[in-house]
């Protein structure tokens, strides 16, 4: 018997978000991480951003694409609390939303490659490798598939029924 899946569950019996999902969200939102890190430098804030994104338009497009990862992180937090219930249909579609964000990131990577006249750089190669691994993980990970299917409609209906049950008055 294989009991390794027990570590996937929290104390309420729900599947915990995989650590690699968080890594993937940080990878997609890396422009936001660079932006926040640049705010900590008092001398030259633009130098850190220019080191990773030489073109200002590339940085702005990466911020726009990374905003989706921040929203997905908010949905993951809502799933952990199982509230609000209107987020559940969005949570069920997270796999395809992540795929869309990775495709946008790939398009931005391709555009950066074109503007650099197809010259190889380590940052472009590393971005391409992490993008490739993220796509493979998104479609081949059983744990991620089970996680996206964990918050189902039956739980919402049971929660609504239990909140509608009248409680006797205490005298």
């Amino acid at each position: 018997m294989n009991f390794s899946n027990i570590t996937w569950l929290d104390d309420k019996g729900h599947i915990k978000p995989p650590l690699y999902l968080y890594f993937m969200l940080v990878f997609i939102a890396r422009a936001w991480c660079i932006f926040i890190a640049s705010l900590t430098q008092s001398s030259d804030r633009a130098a850190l951003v220019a080191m990773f994104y030489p073109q200002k338009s590339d940085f702005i497009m990466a911020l726009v694409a990374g905003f989706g990862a921040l929203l997905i992180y908010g949905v993951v937090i809502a799933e952990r609390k199982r509230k609000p219930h209107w987020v559940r249909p969005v949570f069920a579609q997270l796999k395809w939303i992540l795929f869309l964000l990775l495709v946008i990131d790939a398009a931005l990577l391709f555009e950066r490659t074109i503007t650099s006249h197809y010259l190889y750089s380590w940052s472009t190669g590393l971005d391409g490798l992490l993008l490739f691994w993220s796509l493979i993980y998104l479609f081949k990970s059983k744990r991620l598939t089970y996680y996206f299917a964990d918050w189902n409609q039956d739980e919402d209906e049971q929660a609504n029924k239990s909140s509608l049950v009248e409680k006797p008055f205490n005298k």
Side-chain angles (χ1 to χ4, degrees), residues 76-145:
V76 169
I77 290 173
E79 182 273 333
R80 296 310 304 153
K81 296 180 180 181
R82 302 289 180 175
K83 291 179 183 173
H85 296 292
W86 59 267
V87 177
R88 192 195 58 76
V90 176
F91 183 77
Q93 300 301 320
L94 276 188
K95 184 176 207 173
W96 298 108
I97 296 170
L98 275 170
F99 177 69
L100 178 67
L101 289 175
L102 289 172
V103 167
I104 290 170
D105 201 60
L108 292 174
L109 178 65
F110 188 68
E111 191 266 333
R112 265 193 329 189
T113 305
I114 290 172
T115 57
S116 68
H117 304 291
Y118 301 102
L119 293 175
Y120 179 78
S121 69
W122 283 102
S123 65
T124 306
L126 186 61
D127 285 351
L129 183 65
L130 291 174
L131 181 69
F132 180 69
W133 282 344
S134 296
L135 283 169
I136 289 174
Y137 178 73
L138 184 64
F139 287 106
K140 293 295 183 181
S141 172
K142 288 182 181 180
R143 182 175 178 182
L144 194 63
T145 303

Side-chain angles (χ1 to χ4, degrees), residues 1 5 16 39 43 67 74 84 90-91 105 109 111 116 146 149 163 168:
M1 288 188 171
N5 296 346
K16 293 188 274 189
L39 294 177
S43 60
F67 187 72
V90 176
F91 183 77
D105 201 60
L109 178 65
E111 191 266 333
S116 68
Y146 293 150
S163 66

